[in-house]
């Protein structure tokens, strides 16, 4: 088979790496890819958002299966376009990708199918939103409706902060059209975790649980980022909780959509807050998480291509996932300054010294290769994942590998996994 992976981050390098292990693979392409995907796939210089050119490429190369990493092309309808052209693709169609593309739509779906989530109100008028906020007591959460690269959510400890968030989203239009509507919701307290699941429209196949660290500094402090590290499994998600999530969230969502003629096919990511009154949905993503994927896939024993094909063909009931018992941890190495301003084009040293380390996987995120050298191109640069007999040992292994890597102003958190280790 010829496979095309769309995207350029650590998640996509990890997908390429896992797909490359399948017996069925003849050739892998990655668009646009990065300095890491280049060693396993042919990087194709087409941006992940350029749906038409990607479809032209898949058609002319006779690609047998395309796999979409990021949300932007999914929300933009890449799956519908590929299917129209008779191309096989793993991902959710536009009508259900809205679960991530519109937080208003997602909340409406949660309400319709009685899924547990924070109480909320929707506004398209900033004055009405402000009036409502003045009647409620803080804390409150204000969310821009559309895609905002993980920056459109404001957890507000005071009424003034919530009013300021409305101004940024709806008056200043910091996120453009994504700020045409907002969701104002109750602030939930608890520990966050995520569940990823394959869905073929009828059958749900959850992956091993995971938790990520969103904040930039140790102790989960500072600004939100795309994710600074993750681990799998998340010990906070017990077997009983897993079953509850399955029966109260995953199943009713997928069958509710199915009953409306909207089959959810692809990867579903549910962000959860584990509250005292049970798991509640924070958000849906319609794709593999980044960096959760880099902590989950090294533990998956199945052939990923087989599972993806079964998903597309509606045969997930015939698949059982099998997992490496050992936990996996993934630490993100970023450019100093991220998630604000940072410098690029720094040469990365020491990568070759990490190649032979056992049970250690280096996934590239923001890198490019130039002959023998490798340079930074983004905020999140590298993901160092490691398996270990215990999470502690996995962590030690990942940080040992990081010791060998150097570039100017490199930054990483030193406490990835602390919540699980504290248990
Ligand atoms: N209702 C809520 N209560 C408490 N925290 C929330 C709530 N909604 C979101 N958050 C926090 O904000 C973060 C981002 O929100 P999320 O809905 O996941 O949007 P996105 O990932 O698109 O930015 C969450 O990971 C969580 O930490
Ligand atoms: Mg989120």
């Amino acid at each position: 088979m010829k496979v095309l992976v769309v995207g350029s981050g650590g998640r996509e390098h990890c997908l390429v790496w896992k797909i490359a292990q399948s017996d069925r693979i003849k050739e892998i392409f990655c668009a646009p890819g990065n300095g890491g995907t280049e060693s396993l796939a042919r990087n194709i210089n087409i941006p992940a958002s350029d749906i038409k050119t990607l479809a032209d490429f898949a058609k002319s190369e006779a690609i047998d299966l395309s796999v979409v990493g990021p949300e932007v092309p999914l929300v933009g309808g890449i799956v519908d376009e590929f299917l129209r052209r008779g191309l096989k693709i793993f991902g959710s169609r536009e009508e259900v990708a809205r679960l991530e593309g519109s937080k208003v739509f997602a909340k409406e779906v949660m309400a319709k199918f009685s899924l547990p989530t924070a109480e909320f109100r929707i506004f398209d008028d900033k004055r009405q939103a402000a009036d409502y906020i003045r009647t409620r007591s803080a804390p409150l959460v204000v969310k821009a409706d559309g895609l905002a690269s993980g920056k459109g959510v404001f957890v507000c400890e005071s009424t003034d902060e919530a009013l300021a968030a409305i101004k940024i989203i709806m008056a200043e239009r910091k996120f453009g059209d994504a700020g045409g509507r907002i969701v104002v919701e109750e602030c939930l307290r608890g520990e966050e975790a995520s569940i990823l699941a394959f869905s073929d429209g009828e059958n749900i196949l959850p992956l091993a649980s995971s938790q990520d660290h969103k904040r930039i500094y140790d102790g989960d402090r500072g600004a939100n980022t795309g994710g600074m590290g993750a681990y799998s499994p998340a010990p906070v998600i017990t077997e009983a909780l897993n079953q509850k999530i399955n029966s109260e969230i995953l199943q009713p969502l997928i069958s509710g959509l199915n009953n409306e003629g909207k089959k959810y096919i692809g990867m579903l990511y549910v962000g959860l807050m584990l509250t005292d009154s049970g798991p509640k949905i924070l958000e849906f993503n319609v794709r593999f998480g980044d960096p959760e994927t880099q902590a989950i896939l090294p533990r998956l024993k199945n052939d990923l291509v087989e599972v993806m094909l079964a998903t597309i063909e509606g045969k997930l009931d015939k698949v059982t996932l099998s997992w490496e018992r050992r936990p996996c941890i993934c630490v993100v190495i970023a450019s100093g300054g991220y998630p604000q301003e940072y410098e690029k084009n720094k040469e990365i040293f020491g990568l070759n010294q990490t190649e032979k380390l056992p049970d250690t996987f280096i996934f590239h995120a923001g890198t490019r290769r130039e002959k023998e050298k490798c340079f930074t191109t983004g905020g999140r640069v590298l993901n160092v994942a490691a398996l270990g007999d215990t999470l502690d040992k996995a962590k030690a292994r990942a940080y040992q590998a990081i010791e060998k890597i150097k570039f100017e102003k490199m930054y990483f958190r030193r406490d990835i996994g602390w919540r699980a280790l504290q248990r």
Side-chain angles (χ1 to χ4, degrees):
M1 286 177 71
K2 284 164 104 178
V3 173
L4 167 67
V5 174
V6 176
S8 62
R11 164 185 54 209
E12 286 76 18
H13 184 190
C14 185
L15 286 167
V16 165
W17 166 82
K18 185 67 187 164
I19 288 168
Q21 292 164 29
S22 169
D23 292 336
R24 307 179 61 144
I25 294 304
K26 199 177 93 200
E27 197 172 9
I28 308 178
F29 300 86
C30 192
N34 61 38
T37 59
E38 207 177 288
S39 59
L40 299 163
R42 223 170 87 201
N43 283 355
I44 304 297
N45 193 14
I46 306 172
S49 54
D50 189 349
I51 293 172
K52 195 178 164 299
T53 311
L54 288 168
D56 290 343
F57 172 79
K59 200 82 203 172
S60 69
E61 272 296 335
I63 298 290
D64 299 294
L65 173 67
S66 297
V67 177
V68 189
E71 63 275 19
V72 169
L74 290 167
V75 171
I78 189 171
V79 172
D80 306 70
E81 177 66 17
F82 273 53
L83 294 177
R84 262 197 295 279
R85 300 215 206 170
L87 292 159
K88 210 175 260 190
I89 185 163
F90 178 89
S92 40
R93 300 178 76 126
E94 198 176 352
E95 61 179 10
V96 288
R98 288 180 69 205
L99 288 171
E100 177 164 3
S102 165
K103 291 198 187 292
V104 168
F105 175 73
K107 292 300 282 198
E108 285 168 350
V109 166
M110 292 180 225
K112 187 161 50 178
F113 302 143
S114 307
L115 309 178
T117 188
E119 273 183 45
F120 67 99
R121 290 278 298 270
I122 294 163
F123 295 95
D124 58 10
D125 181 281
K126 48 184 185 291
R127 260 185 222 105
Q128 283 171 14
D131 287 346
Y132 171 74
I133 279 173
R134 288 196 191 91
T135 69
R136 301 287 303 214
S137 48
L140 283 172
V141 182
V142 179
K143 300 185 171 187
D145 178 35
L147 293 182
S149 312
K151 298 192 172 72
V153 170
F154 297 78
V155 179
C156 307
E157 297 301 334
S158 69
T159 304
D160 281 349
E161 263 180 62
L163 293 170
I166 294 181
K167 191 160 166 244
I168 292 166
I169 300 170
M170 298 188 97
E172 293 164 12
R173 287 297 175 109
K174 179 150 179 223
F175 313 107
D177 287 345
R181 289 190 291 175
I182 57 166
V183 175
V184 178
E185 67 181 34
E186 163 200 12
C187 188
L188 301 171
R189 299 291 183 197
E191 198 168 320
E192 280 184 63
S194 43
I195 285 291
L196 282 76
F198 290 99
S199 167
D200 65 7
E202 287 176 23
N203 305 290
I204 279 275
L205 195 59
L207 276 71
S209 62
S210 63
Q211 264 178 312
D212 75 340
H213 294 270
K214 291 241 162 37
R215 306 296 193 95
I216 186 72
Y217 299 128
D218 283 15
D220 293 324
R221 285 192 300 267
N224 258 325
T225 69
M228 294 302 293
Y231 46 94
S232 170
V236 65
I237 301 203
T238 57
E239 192 41 47
L241 192 50
N242 236 329
Q243 281 179 19
K244 202 173 160 72
I245 293 165
N246 210 38
S247 63
E248 290 178 12
I249 295 174
L250 298 176
Q251 289 297 350
L253 171 67
I254 297 305
S255 39
L257 290 170
N258 192 22
N259 291 340
E260 292 186 344
K262 296 189 184 113
K263 276 203 190 309
Y264 192 101
I265 300 171
M267 175 53 53
L268 173 69
Y269 171 122
V270 186
L272 296 166
M273 186 71 88
L274 308 175
T275 73
D276 289 342
S277 49
K280 297 201 173 171
I281 305 167
L282 290 176
E283 67 160 345
F284 296 122
N285 292 331
V286 296
R287 47 168 173 91
F288 285 93
D290 186 342
E292 291 92 332
T293 302
Q294 296 91 298
I296 293 173
L297 290 187
R299 299 185 57 228
L300 179 67
K301 290 185 178 166
N302 300 59
D303 179 330
L304 182 61
V305 175
E306 300 282 357
V307 183
M308 287 178 161
L309 290 172
T311 305
I312 295 170
E313 289 158 10
K315 294 180 183 159
L316 274 184
D317 52 334
K318 307 220 164 49
V319 180
T320 314
L321 297 181
S322 101
W323 297 98
E324 157 81 53
R325 182 196 52 78
R326 294 179 299 165
C328 184
I329 201 163
C330 168
V331 181
V332 172
I333 304 180
S335 300
Y338 173 81
Q340 278 84 39
E341 295 282 290
Y342 56 84
E343 293 167 34
K344 296 181 193 174
N345 293 315
K346 305 290 181 196
E347 185 174 352
I348 305 168
F349 300 97
L351 282 174
N352 52 352
Q353 291 179 52
T354 62
E355 276 160 17
K356 293 203 178 65
L357 297 174
D359 291 324
T360 307
F361 317 94
I362 312 288
F363 300 119
H364 291 226
T367 74
R368 74 182 157 82
R369 232 175 247 289
E370 212 178 280
K371 298 195 181 103
E372 297 305 297
K373 294 183 174 178
C374 199
F375 297 89
T376 68
T377 61
R380 290 192 292 170
V381 176
L382 293 163
N383 308 154
V384 179
L387 291 162
D389 284 331
T390 60
L391 190 60
D392 234 340
K393 287 185 179 156
K395 179 179 173 184
R397 198 168 261 156
Y399 283 99
Q400 270 159 25
I402 291 178
E403 291 280 299
K404 304 193 184 298
I405 301 169
K406 298 248 160 351
F407 60 87
E408 213 185 295
K409 297 188 182 161
M410 97 178 207
Y411 172 79
F412 56 91
R413 276 180 60 164
R414 294 181 184 272
D415 67 341
I416 300 305
W418 71 267
R419 277 179 206 278
L421 291 167
Q422 213 173 50
R423 260 164 202 274

